[in-house]
Amino acid sequence: MNPHLLSIDSLDRGRVDHLLHVAGRMEPIASRRQVTRILEGAVLGNLFFEASTRTRVSFNAAFCRLGGSVCDTTGFTFSSMAKGESLYDTSRVMSGYCDAIVMRHPEQGSVAEFANATNVPVVNGGDGAGEHPSQALLDLYTIDKEFTRRGKTLPGAHILLTGDLLHGRTVHSLIKLLSLYPPMRITLVAPPGLAMPPALVELVASRGHHVEQRDSLASDFGDLDVVYTTRIQKERFTSELSETFNGVSADFLVNKGFMDRRCTADTIVMHPLPRDSRPDANDLDVDLNGDPRLAIFRQTDNGIPMRMAIFATLLQVEDLVEKDMRPV
Ligand code: CP
Protein backbone atom coordinates (compact mmCIF):
# COMPACT_ATOMS: atom_id res chain seq x y z
CA MET A 1 0.00 0.00 0.00
CA ASN A 2 1.27 3.49 -0.87
CA PRO A 3 2.15 5.14 2.49
CA HIS A 4 1.15 8.61 1.25
CA LEU A 5 -1.93 10.27 -0.28
CA LEU A 6 -0.46 12.49 -2.96
CA SER A 7 -2.69 11.88 -5.96
CA ILE A 8 -5.85 9.96 -6.87
CA ASP A 9 -3.51 7.97 -9.16
CA SER A 10 -2.43 5.90 -6.13
CA LEU A 11 -6.01 4.74 -5.41
CA ASP A 12 -8.08 1.99 -6.95
CA ARG A 13 -11.84 1.50 -6.64
CA GLY A 14 -11.46 -0.92 -3.70
CA ARG A 15 -9.39 1.52 -1.67
CA VAL A 16 -11.77 4.40 -2.39
CA ASP A 17 -14.81 2.33 -1.36
CA HIS A 18 -12.95 1.37 1.83
CA LEU A 19 -12.27 5.06 2.64
CA LEU A 20 -15.98 5.89 2.08
CA HIS A 21 -16.91 3.06 4.44
CA VAL A 22 -14.40 4.13 7.14
CA ALA A 23 -15.62 7.75 6.84
CA GLY A 24 -19.16 6.52 7.56
CA ARG A 25 -17.90 4.75 10.70
CA MET A 26 -16.21 8.00 11.81
CA GLU A 27 -19.45 10.04 11.76
CA PRO A 28 -20.33 9.58 15.48
CA ILE A 29 -16.83 10.77 16.46
CA ALA A 30 -16.79 13.59 13.90
CA SER A 31 -20.01 14.96 15.41
CA ARG A 32 -18.71 14.26 18.97
CA ARG A 33 -21.54 11.90 19.93
CA GLN A 34 -18.71 9.42 20.65
CA VAL A 35 -15.02 9.96 21.48
CA THR A 36 -11.89 7.93 20.78
CA ARG A 37 -8.19 8.17 21.70
CA ILE A 38 -6.82 5.85 18.99
CA LEU A 39 -4.21 8.44 17.97
CA GLU A 40 -3.30 9.47 21.53
CA GLY A 41 0.36 10.52 21.60
CA ALA A 42 0.55 10.93 17.81
CA VAL A 43 1.55 14.30 16.34
CA LEU A 44 0.42 15.78 13.00
CA GLY A 45 2.60 18.33 11.20
CA ASN A 46 0.20 20.63 9.35
CA LEU A 47 2.35 22.61 6.90
CA PHE A 48 0.47 25.19 4.84
CA PHE A 49 2.54 27.39 2.52
CA GLU A 50 -0.55 28.74 0.77
CA ALA A 51 -3.80 30.24 2.13
CA SER A 52 -6.39 27.81 3.48
CA THR A 53 -9.35 27.77 5.84
CA ARG A 54 -11.18 24.44 5.33
CA THR A 55 -8.34 22.06 4.53
CA ARG A 56 -5.98 23.25 7.27
CA VAL A 57 -8.60 23.49 10.02
CA SER A 58 -10.48 20.30 9.14
CA PHE A 59 -7.29 18.18 8.94
CA ASN A 60 -6.34 19.68 12.31
CA ALA A 61 -9.78 18.96 13.82
CA ALA A 62 -9.89 15.43 12.33
CA PHE A 63 -6.53 14.52 13.95
CA CYS A 64 -7.66 15.98 17.31
CA ARG A 65 -10.99 14.10 17.14
CA LEU A 66 -8.92 10.88 16.87
CA GLY A 67 -7.02 11.83 20.03
CA GLY A 68 -3.83 13.20 18.43
CA SER A 69 -2.11 16.60 18.66
CA VAL A 70 -1.22 19.05 15.90
CA CYS A 71 1.77 21.32 15.15
CA ASP A 72 0.83 24.01 12.62
CA THR A 73 2.99 26.12 10.31
CA THR A 74 1.33 28.64 8.04
CA GLY A 75 3.07 30.64 5.31
CA PHE A 76 6.72 30.71 4.28
CA THR A 77 7.43 33.64 6.64
CA PHE A 78 7.29 31.45 9.75
CA SER A 79 9.20 28.52 8.23
CA SER A 80 12.95 28.22 7.75
CA MET A 81 12.21 27.87 4.02
CA ALA A 82 12.21 31.69 4.21
CA LYS A 83 15.97 31.33 4.96
CA GLY A 84 16.49 29.09 1.92
CA GLU A 85 15.99 25.65 3.50
CA SER A 86 15.12 22.99 0.89
CA LEU A 87 12.02 20.79 0.77
CA TYR A 88 14.33 17.79 1.34
CA ASP A 89 15.82 19.16 4.60
CA THR A 90 12.44 20.40 5.83
CA SER A 91 10.97 16.97 5.19
CA ARG A 92 13.78 15.08 6.95
CA VAL A 93 13.50 17.37 9.98
CA MET A 94 9.68 17.26 10.21
CA SER A 95 9.57 13.47 9.95
CA GLY A 96 11.63 13.31 13.15
CA TYR A 97 8.96 15.32 14.98
CA CYS A 98 5.69 14.03 13.52
CA ASP A 99 3.79 10.80 12.81
CA ALA A 100 1.97 12.21 9.77
CA ILE A 101 2.24 15.38 7.70
CA VAL A 102 -0.27 17.36 5.64
CA MET A 103 1.26 19.87 3.27
CA ARG A 104 -0.05 22.56 0.93
CA HIS A 105 2.40 24.29 -1.37
CA PRO A 106 1.97 26.63 -4.38
CA GLU A 107 4.15 24.54 -6.74
CA GLN A 108 2.78 21.50 -8.55
CA GLY A 109 4.79 18.37 -7.65
CA SER A 110 6.32 19.94 -4.51
CA VAL A 111 4.35 17.78 -2.03
CA ALA A 112 5.49 14.60 -3.84
CA GLU A 113 9.09 15.87 -3.70
CA PHE A 114 8.68 16.49 0.04
CA ALA A 115 7.16 13.00 0.55
CA ASN A 116 10.13 11.36 -1.22
CA ALA A 117 12.40 12.45 1.64
CA THR A 118 10.33 11.05 4.50
CA ASN A 119 9.03 7.75 5.82
CA VAL A 120 5.98 9.19 7.65
CA PRO A 121 2.69 9.39 5.72
CA VAL A 122 2.26 12.64 3.78
CA VAL A 123 -1.09 13.95 2.54
CA ASN A 124 -1.21 16.41 -0.33
CA GLY A 125 -3.35 19.31 0.90
CA GLY A 126 -3.07 20.95 -2.54
CA ASP A 127 -0.01 21.46 -4.76
CA GLY A 128 -0.49 24.47 -7.04
CA ALA A 129 -2.79 23.57 -9.93
CA GLY A 130 -1.95 19.88 -9.45
CA GLU A 131 -4.21 17.86 -7.19
CA HIS A 132 -6.21 18.01 -3.95
CA PRO A 133 -7.05 14.34 -3.32
CA SER A 134 -8.65 14.66 0.13
CA GLN A 135 -11.06 17.30 -1.25
CA ALA A 136 -12.09 14.93 -4.07
CA LEU A 137 -12.63 12.11 -1.55
CA LEU A 138 -14.87 14.28 0.63
CA ASP A 139 -16.68 15.44 -2.53
CA LEU A 140 -17.34 11.83 -3.53
CA TYR A 141 -18.44 11.02 0.02
CA THR A 142 -20.89 13.95 -0.20
CA ILE A 143 -22.25 12.81 -3.58
CA ASP A 144 -22.67 9.28 -2.22
CA LYS A 145 -24.59 10.52 0.86
CA GLU A 146 -26.76 12.94 -1.14
CA PHE A 147 -27.54 10.28 -3.77
CA THR A 148 -28.41 7.68 -1.10
CA ARG A 149 -30.93 10.12 0.43
CA ARG A 150 -32.50 10.56 -3.03
CA GLY A 151 -32.43 6.86 -4.02
CA LYS A 152 -29.85 7.55 -6.77
CA THR A 153 -26.60 5.74 -7.66
CA LEU A 154 -23.38 6.96 -9.24
CA PRO A 155 -23.41 4.76 -12.38
CA GLY A 156 -25.26 6.62 -15.14
CA ALA A 157 -25.33 9.91 -13.19
CA HIS A 158 -24.95 13.24 -15.03
CA ILE A 159 -22.30 15.43 -13.40
CA LEU A 160 -21.49 18.95 -14.58
CA LEU A 161 -18.12 20.48 -13.65
CA THR A 162 -17.82 24.20 -14.33
CA GLY A 163 -15.58 27.21 -13.68
CA ASP A 164 -11.79 27.26 -13.85
CA LEU A 165 -11.18 23.66 -14.90
CA LEU A 166 -7.61 24.43 -16.02
CA HIS A 167 -6.26 25.52 -12.62
CA GLY A 168 -8.80 23.85 -10.29
CA ARG A 169 -6.89 21.10 -8.49
CA THR A 170 -10.10 19.88 -6.82
CA VAL A 171 -11.72 19.13 -10.19
CA HIS A 172 -8.50 17.47 -11.45
CA SER A 173 -8.65 15.04 -8.51
CA LEU A 174 -12.44 14.65 -8.68
CA ILE A 175 -12.59 13.74 -12.37
CA LYS A 176 -9.90 11.08 -11.82
CA LEU A 177 -11.85 9.73 -8.86
CA LEU A 178 -15.18 9.61 -10.75
CA SER A 179 -13.42 7.81 -13.61
CA LEU A 180 -12.84 4.78 -11.32
CA TYR A 181 -16.62 4.14 -11.23
CA PRO A 182 -18.93 2.63 -13.88
CA PRO A 183 -19.71 4.94 -16.81
CA MET A 184 -21.49 8.21 -16.18
CA ARG A 185 -22.11 11.39 -18.17
CA ILE A 186 -19.64 14.18 -17.39
CA THR A 187 -20.21 17.65 -18.87
CA LEU A 188 -17.34 20.15 -18.62
CA VAL A 189 -18.15 23.86 -18.97
CA ALA A 190 -15.28 26.36 -18.78
CA PRO A 191 -14.72 29.93 -20.01
CA PRO A 192 -12.41 30.23 -23.03
CA GLY A 193 -8.79 29.47 -22.05
CA LEU A 194 -9.73 27.64 -18.82
CA ALA A 195 -10.75 24.19 -20.14
CA MET A 196 -9.91 20.91 -18.38
CA PRO A 197 -6.41 19.68 -19.36
CA PRO A 198 -6.81 17.36 -22.42
CA ALA A 199 -4.91 14.47 -20.73
CA LEU A 200 -7.60 14.30 -18.02
CA VAL A 201 -10.44 14.41 -20.56
CA GLU A 202 -8.77 11.57 -22.51
CA LEU A 203 -8.25 9.51 -19.34
CA VAL A 204 -11.93 9.72 -18.37
CA ALA A 205 -13.15 9.02 -21.92
CA SER A 206 -10.77 6.01 -22.19
CA ARG A 207 -12.49 4.52 -19.11
CA GLY A 208 -15.85 4.53 -20.89
CA HIS A 209 -17.43 7.74 -19.59
CA HIS A 210 -19.38 10.03 -21.89
CA VAL A 211 -17.55 13.38 -21.77
CA GLU A 212 -18.85 16.57 -23.39
CA GLN A 213 -17.19 20.01 -23.34
CA ARG A 214 -19.00 23.37 -23.67
CA ASP A 215 -18.06 27.01 -23.12
CA SER A 216 -21.28 28.39 -21.60
CA LEU A 217 -23.93 27.44 -19.06
CA ALA A 218 -26.59 29.12 -21.22
CA SER A 219 -27.82 25.94 -22.89
CA ASP A 220 -29.81 22.82 -22.10
CA PHE A 221 -27.98 19.96 -20.41
CA GLY A 222 -30.77 17.46 -19.83
CA ASP A 223 -31.25 16.09 -16.33
CA LEU A 224 -28.31 17.07 -14.13
CA ASP A 225 -27.66 15.21 -10.87
CA VAL A 226 -24.71 17.35 -9.69
CA VAL A 227 -23.56 20.87 -10.56
CA TYR A 228 -20.00 21.29 -9.24
CA THR A 229 -18.75 24.83 -9.69
CA THR A 230 -15.29 26.32 -8.97
CA ARG A 231 -13.75 29.75 -8.51
CA ILE A 232 -11.69 31.40 -11.27
CA GLN A 233 -8.11 31.23 -9.93
CA LYS A 234 -6.56 34.41 -11.27
CA GLU A 235 -3.62 33.96 -8.88
CA ARG A 236 -2.50 31.00 -11.04
CA PHE A 237 -2.83 32.75 -14.43
CA THR A 238 0.29 33.10 -16.59
CA SER A 239 1.03 36.72 -17.59
CA GLU A 240 -0.11 35.84 -21.14
CA LEU A 241 -3.48 34.51 -19.89
CA SER A 242 -3.89 37.56 -17.61
CA GLU A 243 -3.51 39.85 -20.65
CA THR A 244 -5.96 37.96 -22.88
CA PHE A 245 -8.60 36.93 -20.30
CA ASN A 246 -11.70 39.13 -20.57
CA GLY A 247 -13.38 38.13 -17.33
CA VAL A 248 -16.14 35.60 -16.75
CA SER A 249 -19.46 36.30 -18.43
CA ALA A 250 -22.70 36.21 -16.45
CA ASP A 251 -23.41 32.94 -18.32
CA PHE A 252 -21.22 31.22 -15.72
CA LEU A 253 -23.15 32.42 -12.69
CA VAL A 254 -24.70 29.49 -10.84
CA ASN A 255 -27.72 31.06 -9.13
CA LYS A 256 -31.36 30.36 -8.38
CA GLY A 257 -32.35 31.33 -11.94
CA PHE A 258 -29.92 28.79 -13.42
CA MET A 259 -31.04 26.08 -11.01
CA ASP A 260 -34.74 26.70 -11.68
CA ARG A 261 -34.28 26.87 -15.49
CA ARG A 262 -31.69 24.16 -16.12
CA CYS A 263 -31.91 21.75 -13.16
CA THR A 264 -34.44 19.65 -11.28
CA ALA A 265 -35.64 19.73 -7.67
CA ASP A 266 -33.20 16.87 -7.04
CA THR A 267 -30.01 18.39 -8.52
CA ILE A 268 -27.36 19.18 -5.92
CA VAL A 269 -24.97 22.14 -6.10
CA MET A 270 -21.41 21.68 -4.85
CA HIS A 271 -18.35 23.95 -4.66
CA PRO A 272 -15.00 23.20 -2.97
CA LEU A 273 -15.04 26.79 -1.61
CA PRO A 274 -13.95 29.47 -1.11
CA ARG A 275 -16.49 31.08 -3.44
CA ASP A 276 -15.62 34.48 -4.84
CA SER A 277 -18.31 36.89 -3.61
CA ARG A 278 -17.09 39.92 -5.58
CA PRO A 279 -19.87 41.25 -7.91
CA ASP A 280 -18.06 40.59 -11.23
CA ALA A 281 -16.79 37.11 -10.23
CA ASN A 282 -19.91 35.28 -11.50
CA ASP A 283 -19.15 32.40 -9.14
CA LEU A 284 -21.79 30.60 -7.03
CA ASP A 285 -24.49 33.11 -6.02
CA VAL A 286 -25.57 33.66 -2.42
CA ASP A 287 -29.24 33.65 -3.57
CA LEU A 288 -29.07 29.84 -3.26
CA ASN A 289 -28.14 30.01 0.45
CA GLY A 290 -31.56 28.88 1.69
CA ASP A 291 -32.09 26.37 -1.14
CA PRO A 292 -31.93 22.72 0.03
CA ARG A 293 -30.19 21.80 -3.25
CA LEU A 294 -27.13 23.78 -2.07
CA ALA A 295 -24.89 21.08 -0.57
CA ILE A 296 -21.78 23.21 0.05
CA PHE A 297 -21.96 23.31 3.84
CA ARG A 298 -22.89 19.62 4.10
CA GLN A 299 -19.82 19.15 1.86
CA THR A 300 -17.52 21.09 4.24
CA ASP A 301 -18.92 19.14 7.23
CA ASN A 302 -18.10 15.89 5.43
CA GLY A 303 -14.43 16.93 5.39
CA ILE A 304 -14.04 15.86 9.03
CA PRO A 305 -15.13 12.17 8.80
CA MET A 306 -13.34 11.72 5.46
CA ARG A 307 -10.08 13.23 6.77
CA MET A 308 -10.39 11.09 9.91
CA ALA A 309 -10.74 8.06 7.61
CA ILE A 310 -7.62 9.12 5.67
CA PHE A 311 -5.54 9.34 8.88
CA ALA A 312 -6.95 6.11 10.30
CA THR A 313 -6.11 4.14 7.15
CA LEU A 314 -2.68 5.73 6.55
CA LEU A 315 -1.72 5.10 10.19
CA GLN A 316 -3.39 1.65 10.12
CA VAL A 317 -5.63 2.12 13.17
CA GLU A 318 -9.02 1.87 11.45
CA ASP A 319 -9.70 -1.58 12.94
CA LEU A 320 -9.41 -0.09 16.47
CA VAL A 321 -12.08 2.58 16.03
CA GLU A 322 -15.15 0.69 17.32
CA LYS A 323 -13.16 -1.00 20.12
CA ASP A 324 -12.02 2.36 21.50
CA MET A 325 -15.20 4.38 20.91
CA ARG A 326 -17.19 5.57 23.95
CA PRO A 327 -19.98 8.11 24.56
CA VAL A 328 -19.02 11.71 25.39
N1 CP B 1 -11.50 23.64 -0.52
C1 CP B 1 -10.35 24.15 -0.02
O1 CP B 1 -9.25 23.64 -0.33
O2 CP B 1 -10.52 25.21 0.79
P1 CP B 1 -9.33 25.99 1.55
O3 CP B 1 -8.49 26.64 0.47
O4 CP B 1 -10.00 26.96 2.46
O5 CP B 1 -8.51 24.95 2.28
Side-chain angles (χ1 to χ4, degrees), residues 51-55 104 132 135 272-273:
S52 170
T53 297
R54 276 145 293 273
T55 312
R104 172 172 288 188
H132 194 347
Q135 176 71 46
L273 303 182

mmCIF file of all heavy atoms in Angstrom, residues 51-55 104 132 135 272-273, ligand 1:
data_model
loop_
_atom_site.group_PDB
_atom_site.id
_atom_site.type_symbol
_atom_site.label_atom_id
_atom_site.label_comp_id
_atom_site.label_asym_id
_atom_site.label_seq_id
_atom_site.Cartn_x
_atom_site.Cartn_y
_atom_site.Cartn_z
ATOM 1 N N ALA A 51 -2.600 29.946 1.321
ATOM 2 C CA ALA A 51 -3.797 30.237 2.128
ATOM 3 C C ALA A 51 -4.767 29.058 2.172
ATOM 4 O O ALA A 51 -4.920 28.338 1.183
ATOM 5 C CB ALA A 51 -4.507 31.454 1.549
ATOM 6 N N SER A 52 -5.398 28.878 3.315
ATOM 7 C CA SER A 52 -6.390 27.809 3.477
ATOM 8 C C SER A 52 -7.230 28.097 4.715
ATOM 9 O O SER A 52 -6.704 28.560 5.724
ATOM 10 C CB SER A 52 -5.690 26.462 3.647
ATOM 11 O OG SER A 52 -6.617 25.458 4.026
ATOM 12 N N THR A 53 -8.503 27.801 4.644
ATOM 13 C CA THR A 53 -9.349 27.767 5.842
ATOM 14 C C THR A 53 -9.783 26.332 6.094
ATOM 15 O O THR A 53 -9.445 25.715 7.101
ATOM 16 C CB THR A 53 -10.579 28.691 5.680
ATOM 17 O OG1 THR A 53 -10.113 30.031 5.541
ATOM 18 C CG2 THR A 53 -11.500 28.613 6.897
ATOM 19 N N ARG A 54 -10.575 25.767 5.147
ATOM 20 C CA ARG A 54 -11.177 24.439 5.329
ATOM 21 C C ARG A 54 -10.163 23.316 5.497
ATOM 22 O O ARG A 54 -10.247 22.511 6.422
ATOM 23 C CB ARG A 54 -12.035 24.059 4.102
ATOM 24 C CG ARG A 54 -13.419 24.575 4.112
ATOM 25 C CD ARG A 54 -13.815 24.910 2.689
ATOM 26 N NE ARG A 54 -13.006 26.022 2.253
ATOM 27 C CZ ARG A 54 -13.340 27.297 2.473
ATOM 28 N NH1 ARG A 54 -14.477 27.581 3.025
ATOM 29 N NH2 ARG A 54 -12.534 28.276 2.107
ATOM 30 N N THR A 55 -9.224 23.227 4.556
ATOM 31 C CA THR A 55 -8.340 22.061 4.532
ATOM 32 C C THR A 55 -7.473 22.041 5.782
ATOM 33 O O THR A 55 -7.350 21.014 6.455
ATOM 34 C CB THR A 55 -7.480 22.093 3.252
ATOM 35 O OG1 THR A 55 -8.330 22.352 2.144
ATOM 36 C CG2 THR A 55 -6.753 20.776 3.044
ATOM 37 N N ARG A 104 0.431 21.792 2.099
ATOM 38 C CA ARG A 104 -0.053 22.561 0.933
ATOM 39 C C ARG A 104 1.075 23.464 0.478
ATOM 40 O O ARG A 104 1.742 24.110 1.320
ATOM 41 C CB ARG A 104 -1.290 23.387 1.282
ATOM 42 C CG ARG A 104 -1.698 24.338 0.169
ATOM 43 C CD ARG A 104 -3.011 25.021 0.420
ATOM 44 N NE ARG A 104 -4.122 24.093 0.279
ATOM 45 C CZ ARG A 104 -5.399 24.470 0.301
ATOM 46 N NH1 ARG A 104 -5.717 25.746 0.444
ATOM 47 N NH2 ARG A 104 -6.363 23.586 0.167
ATOM 48 N N HIS A 132 -5.723 17.793 -5.320
ATOM 49 C CA HIS A 132 -6.209 18.007 -3.953
ATOM 50 C C HIS A 132 -7.026 16.751 -3.619
ATOM 51 O O HIS A 132 -8.258 16.775 -3.579
ATOM 52 C CB HIS A 132 -7.067 19.273 -3.926
ATOM 53 C CG HIS A 132 -7.374 19.824 -2.572
ATOM 54 N ND1 HIS A 132 -7.147 19.113 -1.401
ATOM 55 C CD2 HIS A 132 -7.905 21.024 -2.200
ATOM 56 C CE1 HIS A 132 -7.526 19.860 -0.371
ATOM 57 N NE2 HIS A 132 -7.981 21.016 -0.827
ATOM 58 N N GLN A 135 -9.854 16.555 -0.891
ATOM 59 C CA GLN A 135 -11.063 17.299 -1.247
ATOM 60 C C GLN A 135 -11.940 16.439 -2.160
ATOM 61 O O GLN A 135 -13.160 16.347 -1.974
ATOM 62 C CB GLN A 135 -10.689 18.615 -1.956
ATOM 63 C CG GLN A 135 -11.878 19.420 -2.456
ATOM 64 C CD GLN A 135 -12.692 20.071 -1.344
ATOM 65 O OE1 GLN A 135 -12.122 20.659 -0.435
ATOM 66 N NE2 GLN A 135 -14.021 19.970 -1.420
ATOM 67 N N PRO A 272 -16.014 23.525 -3.987
ATOM 68 C CA PRO A 272 -15.005 23.201 -2.965
ATOM 69 C C PRO A 272 -14.811 24.348 -1.980
ATOM 70 O O PRO A 272 -14.280 24.137 -0.893
ATOM 71 C CB PRO A 272 -13.737 22.949 -3.785
ATOM 72 C CG PRO A 272 -13.943 23.720 -5.049
ATOM 73 C CD PRO A 272 -15.414 23.689 -5.316
ATOM 74 N N LEU A 273 -15.240 25.555 -2.367
ATOM 75 C CA LEU A 273 -15.036 26.787 -1.611
ATOM 76 C C LEU A 273 -13.520 27.066 -1.464
ATOM 77 O O LEU A 273 -12.736 26.128 -1.534
ATOM 78 C CB LEU A 273 -15.719 26.730 -0.244
ATOM 79 C CG LEU A 273 -17.237 26.452 -0.273
ATOM 80 C CD1 LEU A 273 -17.797 26.468 1.163
ATOM 81 C CD2 LEU A 273 -17.972 27.485 -1.128
HETATM 82 N N1 CP B 1 -11.497 23.643 -0.523
HETATM 83 C C1 CP B 1 -10.348 24.145 -0.024
HETATM 84 O O1 CP B 1 -9.245 23.637 -0.333
HETATM 85 O O2 CP B 1 -10.518 25.214 0.795
HETATM 86 P P1 CP B 1 -9.331 25.986 1.551
HETATM 87 O O3 CP B 1 -8.489 26.645 0.472
HETATM 88 O O4 CP B 1 -9.995 26.961 2.456
HETATM 89 O O5 CP B 1 -8.513 24.951 2.278
#
